[in-house]
Amino acid sequence: PDRCLAAGANVMMSLLGLVCDPVGGLVEVPCQKRNATAASVAFVSAQIALSGVQNLISFDEAVAVTVSGKRVPILTHTCKGFIERFCGLMLKREVPEACGLYFPGCRSIHTCMMRVPIDVVWVREGEPGELDAVSLDVALKPWRFFAAPRGATGCVEFRAGSFDPADRPAEIARPKKRK
């Protein structure tokens, strides 16, 4: 039982991304375990790829490169239902780094009851499975209202700092729906 609980603690530290705060007087404790877990994931991922298993989501669909060369996460979750669309990122202490929230048919957004700023890419539907960027708003502060620019049919909300003000990504791909 103790080893099972220790393994569970390691998983939670690695997947939840605990910050490198001093634990037991040592700053590196969470970081070392997270790095070890990341190395094992990289090894297993390489073995899966070498064995010929095909990904449904390509590398290009998982990561976009902006004009500045900074890699920006683009895996999105589509908010469909009323509650999902209404709540969005409200009350989140931290916005996840690895993905964005896509709001189709969105002509305006609010950041009421949000605790942190967000980056917003205003988009329109392009080729099937792709969103063409219309405009980019960086570090939108909480408790504000924003209207969509002309031509936008939706938006994707990201963690603040995902984009630089000079960035203008050409496209943001969405994972294709599985059949």
Side-chain angles (χ1 to χ4, degrees):
D2 290 341
R3 289 186 183 184
C4 290
L5 293 174
N10 286 339
V11 167
M12 297 307 276
M13 270 194 300
S14 300
L15 294 179
L16 294 180
L18 294 177
V19 295
C20 294
D21 290 337
V23 175
L26 302 171
V27 174
E28 67 273 358
V29 170
C31 291
Q32 285 178 340
K33 290 187 177 185
R34 187 177 320 123
N35 291 343
T37 302
S40 65
V41 168
F43 178 77
V44 171
S45 297
Q47 292 298 314
I48 290 170
L50 291 172
S51 69
V53 175
Q54 297 294 316
N55 288 334
L56 295 176
I57 299 171
S58 71
F59 180 78
D60 290 336
E61 289 175 318
V63 177
V65 179
T66 64
V67 174
S68 68
K70 181 179 179 182
R71 292 195 177 277
V72 178
I74 58 168
L75 289 178
T76 60
H77 170 74
T78 301
C79 295
K80 295 178 183 172
F82 173 78
I83 297 295
E84 210 174 25
R85 291 177 66 91
F86 177 74
C87 293
L89 298 172
M90 280 194 303
L91 302 176
K92 302 276 190 227
R93 291 181 194 270
E94 186 176 316
V95 178
E97 189 174 346
C99 65
L101 287 181
Y102 171 49
F103 295 88
C106 178
R107 298 295 304 139
S108 63
I109 62 169
H110 70 87
T111 57
C112 297
M113 293 194 282
M114 293 186 75
R115 297 179 177 192
V116 295
I118 58 171
D119 290 351
V120 175
V121 179
W122 295 97
V123 297
R124 71 173 157 260
E125 298 240 0
E127 296 292 320
E130 290 184 356
L131 300 173
D132 297 325
V134 174
S135 180
L136 171 67
D137 290 328
V138 177
L140 299 180
K141 295 180 180 177
W143 295 100
R144 306 283 198 294
F145 293 90
F146 304 92
R150 185 179 301 250
T153 60
C155 72
V156 184
E157 297 180 355
F158 291 96
R159 167 190 208 129
S162 294
F163 296 94
D164 293 327
D167 289 339
R168 291 294 179 254
E171 294 178 335
I172 297 176
R174 270 186 302 176
K176 292 179 177 56
K177 292 181 181 176
R178 295 179 183 172
K179 295 179 182 178

